[in-house]
Every structure is written in C-alpha cells, then in structure tokens.
Amino acid sequence: MIQRIQSVYLALAFIATGVLPFVFPIWTLVNGKVEYFMMHMAYVVLFGLSTALSVLSISFYKKRQHQFVLGRLNMILNLILLGLLIYRSLSLSGEASAVSVKGIGMFLPAIAIVFLVLANKAIKRDEDLVKSVDRLR
C-alpha cells in the first residue's frame, strides 16, 4: 500500500533532492555570488537521478525487494553527490573566487540519505513481517 511509512520517508527524500535544491543554494562565493545546483551539469544530473529513483521507488510499493534495491542505489548516488560537493568546496578554498559560505543545499544529499536509510529499515521490517506470516500458513 502506498500509505506505509516507507512511502513517507521516500517522499521526504524526494523533497530533499527534488524540491529543496531549488530553494537553498549550494554555496556563496567570496564575491557574493550565490550558486545553486543548476549551475553545474553534474549536480543537475545527480540530483535528477536521485529524484527519479525516489519517485520510482514510491511507485514500486507492491514490490518490496525492488524498493529496497532502488533505495540502496539511491543512497549510493547521494553519497557520490555528497562526495562531489565536499570535494568541490574543499578544492575551491584556496582560489581567488573561493567558497566563502557553504549553504544548506550542500547538505541536502546527507538529509536524503537519512530518509532513505529509514525507508529501507521500514521496507525490511515489512518484508520480515510478510515472511513470518507466510511461515505460519
């Protein structure tokens, strides 16, 4: 069913990777220029894939194993995205147009990972419950 708790967690992960990057900047440069994720194609692709995996995982509410696998893939994708963001912010720190203030948008993949972990725990709990009921039959 779509009203399970993992669907709520997946929807929150969708919001963290699909809606909030448009609201919160990734970082602010020394010259005062605010940078959003849309200014770098790699971030656009990774945020888009993460959002698509969250929506796809919500739509697989009848197939818990597929949901679990898509959640794991989404976590790996968000870890890659978080690594790229951290690498970029650390490598720019010595240049003239360095990152002066890191925005909330830089930590959105970490927030999404937390929600995906919670969703996968709930999916695993449901799967264990179904298996235990099947054993009693």
Side-chain angles (χ1 to χ4, degrees):
M1 290 189 266
I2 204 159
Q3 68 265 22
R4 295 182 306 193
I5 190 68
Q6 59 260 33
S7 297
V8 173
Y9 290 140
L10 290 169
L12 289 172
F14 164 77
I15 290 170
T17 59
V19 177
L20 293 180
F22 289 102
V23 177
F24 297 113
I26 295 176
W27 48 68
T28 305
L29 299 178
V30 172
N31 59 5
K33 183 181 174 192
V34 176
E35 286 202 12
Y36 289 90
F37 80 102
M38 298 159 291
M39 297 178 180
H40 304 281
M41 186 53 82
Y43 303 144
V44 171
V45 169
L46 290 173
F47 271 115
L49 283 174
S50 178
T51 303
L53 282 176
S54 293
V55 170
L56 195 61
S57 186
I58 290 172
S59 68
F60 281 159
Y61 62 92
K62 289 185 180 179
K63 301 175 184 175
R64 287 175 300 278
Q65 287 297 77
H66 287 98
Q67 254 188 339
F68 192 78
V69 170
L70 287 175
R72 288 282 172 109
L73 288 174
N74 204 350
M75 278 188 260
I76 292 169
L77 188 67
N78 278 304
L79 280 172
I80 292 170
L81 181 59
L82 186 63
L84 283 175
L85 287 170
I86 290 172
Y87 173 76
R88 173 124 170 123
S89 71
L90 292 177
S91 68
L92 286 179
S93 64
E95 296 179 8
S97 64
V99 174
S100 62
V101 178
K102 288 150 186 77
I104 295 173
M106 188 169 164
F107 302 106
L108 289 176
I111 294 168
I113 289 170
V114 169
F115 288 131
L116 290 168
V117 166
L118 291 172
N120 272 2
K121 277 180 83 173
I123 292 166
K124 182 74 171 146
R125 196 174 331 129
D126 276 358
E127 188 66 27
D128 291 343
L129 180 66
V130 168
K131 284 182 181 178
S132 71
V133 169
D134 284 343
R135 262 181 284 181
L136 293 176
R137 289 185 193 176

